[in-house]
Amino acid sequence: MERPAPLWDRLEAPAVFAEALDAEMNRHGDSAWALHRAIAAKEAVVDLTTIRAWRRGTKVPATPASFRVISLIEQRYCLPEGWLRSRLDPSRVVSGHRPRGVSAAERQRLAWHLPDDFGTRSLSEQDQIVAWVQSSILSGGTAFHRYHAEVSKHRFSIRFEGSVGSVPLRSGKKLSARSEFAPPSRLAQEMANLLRFKTQTLTDIGFQRSGVWNAETASQKIEHLGLMFGALAMPAESVSKGFGLPREKLTFALLVSPAVWDWYVQWREARRGFYTGWEAEMLLLAAALARSGTGWLRQNPRLASELEPVDGLITEDEIRKIVADWDAACERLNRHVLARAREIQRVARVHRDPFEPLLPILEAPRPVAEYLKITEEILRRMPNAERYPKLAAESVRSFLMLRFGLHLGLRQKNLRQLLFRAKGDPATSERELERIKAGELRWSERDNGWEVFIPCAAFKNANSAYFSRRPFRLVLPDLGDLYRWIDDYIANRPLLLAGAADPGVFFVKTVKRTSHDAAYSQQGFYEAWRLTIQRYGIYNPWTGRGAIPGLLPHGPHSVRDVLATHILKQTGSYEQASYAIQDTPATVAAHYGRFLPQDKAALAAQILNQVWENN
């Protein structure tokens, strides 16, 4: 390729691709037509209008073929390799890759994680890259995630629609004819009665209960019972190998039979390969339903009239005994499931190790500093805010999600439902926040900083000794330009809302035409966090993107493990670790802190070694 001599020395190096290309073409006296002719001579395919669009900034290179053209332009102007390429938006990915055996939807998910030269590599290497991305980034990499990905292909559930009072049910999507079923009217009414019993402020006259379900607990119990009834209803010849009970025969009255619970926990064990604590928890739910005095099943003997014989589950003779003495039947069930729960707890195995995706971080001397590398990677790959304001706002949102998680240590619910008041707006009263059970981010004139205020009633462990019935309050530190990014996000938050009604929460979704609500759902917030980890957290050796080698996808709850483990490694104190996540030392020791013998020995050695250092 003939290389035109520069007409003058380069005075500056514009940071934006279009400006840099225009400057180099002017410096070499090149027109779009002359540049196009020179590139065509090298058998590279590019339209003259495309070069002009690149120069104006109305288009940018985004395919492997266009990147080859950029490389030829760099050679023509004697520029270092990648000089022009480095000025493209780092958040954009190469389009046009066609990995074999992959659907169009899967290609879209893979695009971010494939190297730019994917198409020029051998087929065997392409297959190796795709396999690594699918196992290490997209599916999760752990044995549990592989199991979950497989069983999710054959889902089953009775999905209860609607709501009872102010308690939202988990449903919200269309039912899948293959995997999820609407409940028959009798079963739906029984579920509604159970929910009213466990969620309303006052019980119906004549009923007693022990404990109340909040919205999250109610949704969880609904989902778990839906899975149980779904397993009973799935055909025995299906992939899921359910019991095959006709849906019209489903009723909560069946739950009084110990054989039903035995079938279900054994079915789950056969499906997974071993028992877990999940089965024990379900049996404890059965015990609570049948408990003397306060159990919902125990206080509804009229359910006995709904029972019908079912081969392999309940006989005509057993039904007569149950109808004759409902209280005795519930007592038998209570004793049976408590004994079964103890047996399962003895052999239960951990299938989902919450620490496994985080091991590269938890094994670091300073886990929080390691996790912060992900936020730094987000900033490094931040799109140009002037050209891509919405993409930039999404990146800032991802950055703040992780930063807020590290500063606050909140559970997902509290972080997701955090309300927002702009500077100068009056703060919501504590009484109102307590009523709606949500916290708020607001500007504190007294502290000249952003304050997070959450009433203790909003927390899952509201009765914990940590709170002593007092609210949580923390002024966020202005470290690492945190306040600058908060202000930036607030200014660009309307771009994400796109004219939709403002739900009042700080973190909002990118509203699309199909969106019904700008607020994140529980699953939506989890997926947003997980996507951030997939794009910026997991180091990809094929692209060089990502912050931490060996990291695996995870959700917002994992940041609590990071905080607790960091403080344990620094102080050895379970009590101080519990302060970071609003919990108790016992809970940290049981569920959050990964404090191994070598960590304890290293902490003790730091103190003992001072004897020699001071002598």
Side-chain angles (χ1 to χ4, degrees), residues 129 157 164 236 331 391 413-414 435 440 452 485:
I129 293 171
S157 180
V164 175
E331 184 61 30
L391 290 176
K413 167 185 175 287
N414 301 113
R435 184 188 70 81
E440 184 174 82
V452 174
W485 291 114

Side-chain angles (χ1 to χ4, degrees), residues 14 28 87 110 144 149 251 276 280 308-309 344 380 394 454 577 594:
H28 289 81
R87 283 154 173 76
L110 283 168
F144 172 79
T251 169
T276 67
E308 300 178 47
I344 287 177
R380 265 195 303 273
E394 291 174 340
I454 309 176
R594 190 175 189 270

Side-chain angles (χ1 to χ4, degrees), residues 321-380:
K321 291 179 181 179
I322 290 170
V323 172
D325 196 339
W326 179 260
D327 197 66
C330 288
E331 184 61 30
R332 285 194 299 272
L333 173 66
N334 183 269
R335 289 198 305 267
H336 176 82
V337 293
L338 287 175
R340 278 283 190 265
R342 287 192 293 270
E343 291 175 329
I344 287 177
Q345 287 167 346
R346 181 175 55 83
V347 298
R349 291 165 52 184
V350 174
H351 198 181
R352 177 186 166 272
D353 180 357
F355 297 143
E356 188 175 358
L358 299 166
L359 284 181
I361 291 173
L362 300 181
E363 290 175 348
R366 300 168 64 231
V368 170
E370 196 71 10
Y371 207 87
L372 272 175
K373 293 178 180 178
I374 305 173
T375 64
E376 294 165 359
E377 176 75 0
I378 295 173
L379 296 183
R380 265 195 303 273

Side-chain angles (χ1 to χ4, degrees), residues 155-167:
R155 296 174 61 199
F156 59 93
S157 180
I158 295 291
R159 186 171 284 270
F160 297 92
E161 294 284 346
S163 62
V164 175
S166 61
V167 180

Side-chain angles (χ1 to χ4, degrees), residues 161-217:
E161 294 284 346
S163 62
V164 175
S166 61
V167 180
L169 301 190
R170 188 170 292 271
S171 179
K173 300 179 181 179
K174 292 183 179 179
L175 294 172
S176 165
R178 293 186 301 106
S179 58
E180 297 167 335
F181 314 103
S185 58
R186 177 179 64 180
L187 186 65
Q189 185 58 53
E190 291 169 354
M191 175 62 82
N193 293 340
L194 171 60
L195 276 174
R196 187 173 65 251
F197 173 77
K198 292 298 292 184
T199 61
Q200 66 183 1
T201 304
L202 301 176
T203 57
D204 293 337
I205 295 175
F207 285 81
Q208 295 181 350
R209 67 183 175 195
S210 175
V212 178
W213 290 348
N214 61 24
E216 285 70 29
T217 301

Side-chain angles (χ1 to χ4, degrees), residues 45 94 96 147 157 225 274 325 328 386 420 476 545 547 575 591:
V45 179
V94 178
Y147 162 79
S157 180
L225 289 168
F274 51 87
D325 196 339
E386 292 183 3
F420 157 66
L476 292 170
R545 297 193 189 102
E575 185 168 0
H591 301 290

Side-chain angles (χ1 to χ4, degrees), residues 349-457:
R349 291 165 52 184
V350 174
H351 198 181
R352 177 186 166 272
D353 180 357
F355 297 143
E356 188 175 358
L358 299 166
L359 284 181
I361 291 173
L362 300 181
E363 290 175 348
R366 300 168 64 231
V368 170
E370 196 71 10
Y371 207 87
L372 272 175
K373 293 178 180 178
I374 305 173
T375 64
E376 294 165 359
E377 176 75 0
I378 295 173
L379 296 183
R380 265 195 303 273
R381 302 197 176 277
M382 184 83 68
N384 185 305
E386 292 183 3
R387 296 201 61 207
Y388 309 104
K390 183 174 285 190
L391 290 176
E394 291 174 340
S395 293
V396 175
R397 180 184 60 198
S398 297
F399 170 82
L400 289 177
M401 279 184 179
L402 270 59
R403 283 293 301 270
F404 274 41
L406 288 170
H407 287 298
L408 300 171
L410 299 173
R411 288 179 172 86
Q412 194 228 92
K413 167 185 175 287
N414 301 113
L415 189 58
R416 169 171 48 90
Q417 296 179 352
L418 189 67
L419 301 175
F420 157 66
R421 290 287 184 176
K423 290 181 182 179
D425 289 350
T428 306
S429 69
E430 181 177 350
R431 177 174 293 183
E432 176 61 16
L433 292 175
E434 192 170 89
R435 184 188 70 81
I436 61 178
K437 295 184 178 180
E440 184 174 82
L441 174 72
R442 66 265 193 111
W443 182 257
S444 170
E445 295 292 347
R446 181 184 64 185
D447 299 294
N448 194 34
W450 286 105
E451 172 191 84
V452 174
F453 183 93
I454 309 176
C456 68

